Amino acid sequence: MPSLTSWKVPPAAQPRAEDFCFDLHQILRSVVGLHAIVPADAFTAETLGTERSGNGVVIDDGLVLTIGYLITEAETVWLHLGDGRVVEGHALGIDPDTGFGLVQALGPLDLPAVPLGSSAAARPGDRVLIGGVGGAEHSVAAYIVAKQEFSGYWEYLLDEAIFTTPSHPNWGGTALISERGELIGIGSLQIEREQSEQDDNVEIEHLNMMVPIDLLKPILADLKSAGRVRKAARPWLGLYAAEIDDQVVVVGVTPRAPAARAELKPGDLILAINGHQVDNCADFYRRLWALGPAGVTVPLTLYRGGDTFDVELVSSDRFKPLKKPRLH
């Protein structure tokens, strides 16, 4: 079982207690490390791995909020506390629409909960704290650079994600803390953004994409009681999509998923869905989800090797092929 990582954030990027109006060290006590073990035959084992590690933050007594991909199909979860203690946890709930995951500690954490703030109130330019397990040396003093739409290649879309810089090097499940000392987001990804200099040199800036905390509030009770949101699941195709030259391109297909059964292939261009032309992933996803719940038939118009043709896929529930976590 791994212990806390030995790396540290560069001193220039570390938060300083005097720069915040809240108790920095008290807040960071509530950020924990997370180590999940996933069976080798799990549906997501090949793409996400059988051992996953990141962060989480205590939001209630024994309840830890993290990013869902860390605990999807997890058989065992260990919570690593900043004081060196290790407590077993249970993957309590996951919401693929937002990306959130919940872990229930199976032993006492004795840590304060971080209050939930308002991600809607956050603005570009706001100073924020990106909290990682291990205190200030494992955290980043950052600021918000943008709030905008984000579409992920795995049939994922946020109407307004939060982007921060500098990037946290171990971003998964980090706690995005506002200047008020409230939780306003959870770390999901690191992305790259080009910055053009005056001498025409292009520099790459690394950003963190954060899932806004306001998306959690309407679904938290369902995740705690049922492990998922109590509503009809969105239709899922099991394909990976990218935007290339204003076209939606299939770049991968999940084995045994609807797209694979319909024999979609990497390189296929998705020209239209249900007769509506699409030229970006966000539009494609919205039109897909508007067709109805999981199980609905999805008519696609594809282009492959010089031929344009129609195909119908029977969509599925993204949860259906996943292993259910066992309570130890």
Side-chain angles (χ1 to χ4, degrees):
M1 184 190 312
S3 60
L4 286 177
T5 180
S6 60
W7 57 263
K8 297 179 181 178
V9 169
Q14 293 176 17
R16 301 182 304 173
E18 58 269 27
D19 291 337
F20 295 91
C21 64
F22 55 84
D23 188 330
L24 174 68
H25 300 293
Q26 180 77 347
I27 285 283
L28 290 177
R29 285 184 60 219
S30 302
V31 182
V32 301
L34 188 149
H35 178 219
I37 307 295
V38 176
D41 63 344
F43 188 74
T44 58
E46 184 175 347
T47 53
L48 297 177
T50 57
E51 290 199 38
R52 306 169 195 168
S53 60
N55 306 271
V57 57
V58 179
I59 61 169
D60 202 347
D61 185 24
L63 191 65
V64 174
L65 180 64
T66 187
I67 197 70
Y69 61 73
L70 294 178
I71 61 169
T72 298
E73 299 186 281
E75 188 174 60
T76 304
V77 178
W78 297 101
L79 300 172
H80 294 249
L81 281 56
D83 60 10
R85 290 180 293 141
V86 180
V87 176
E88 189 172 5
H90 167 65
L92 182 62
I94 298 167
D95 178 44
D97 293 357
T98 61
F100 287 122
L102 281 181
V103 174
Q104 177 66 57
L106 300 181
L109 296 179
D110 299 322
L111 296 175
V114 179
L116 303 187
S118 169
S119 50
R123 296 288 182 267
D126 285 358
R127 184 172 55 182
V128 290
L129 166 68
I130 305 176
V133 60
E137 293 180 340
H138 295 250
S139 301
V140 172
Y143 66 95
I144 297 173
V145 295
K147 294 177 70 181
Q148 62 190 48
E149 180 182 88
F150 173 81
S151 58
Y153 61 86
W154 61 98
E155 298 178 56
Y156 178 77
L157 178 66
L158 294 179
D159 291 335
E160 189 177 71
I162 300 174
F163 296 87
T164 61
T165 190
S167 174
H168 194 291
N170 184 29
W171 55 85
T174 49
L176 180 63
I177 306 295
S178 72
E179 291 182 291
R180 296 169 56 90
E182 297 172 333
L183 184 67
I184 59 171
I186 290 291
S188 177
L189 297 173
Q190 178 177 269
I191 65 171
E192 295 181 348
R193 180 174 72 170
E194 289 186 355
Q195 285 191 321
S196 298
E197 300 295 323
Q198 291 183 351
D199 57 3
D200 293 331
N201 291 329
V202 176
E203 292 189 357
I204 301 297
E205 180 184 28
H206 292 96
L207 310 177
N208 284 144
M209 189 278 278
M210 304 282 182
V211 182
I213 203 65
D214 288 354
L215 298 179
L216 175 70
K217 297 170 184 177
I219 65 172
L220 180 56
D222 282 356
L223 291 182
K224 290 166 66 175
S225 63
R228 61 180 293 179
V229 179
R230 296 180 188 270
K231 68 176 183 179
R234 286 173 171 172
W236 174 71
L237 303 181
L239 58 80
Y240 302 127
E243 298 170 18
I244 302 176
D245 296 330
D246 295 325
Q247 294 178 308
V248 179
V249 182
V250 177
V251 295
V253 176
T254 303
R256 307 189 302 278
R261 292 194 293 269
E263 300 184 345
L264 270 67
K265 302 180 184 301
D268 287 350
L269 302 183
I270 300 176
L271 303 181
I273 178 168
N274 198 30
H276 298 283
Q277 180 179 337
V278 292
D279 55 16
N280 62 73
C281 289
D283 186 32
F284 172 53
Y285 298 153
R286 289 189 175 105
R287 292 188 180 279
L288 167 63
W289 300 332
L291 291 176
V296 69
T297 297
V298 179
L300 297 180
T301 302
L302 304 179
Y303 176 85
R304 178 195 299 165
D307 294 325
T308 299
F309 58 98
D310 295 326
V311 63
E312 289 190 344
L313 288 70
V314 179
S315 63
S316 183
D317 179 348
R318 191 189 293 260
F319 271 99
K320 188 174 181 180
L322 303 182
K323 285 182 174 292
K324 306 301 184 292
R326 296 180 297 173
L327 183 59
H328 292 244

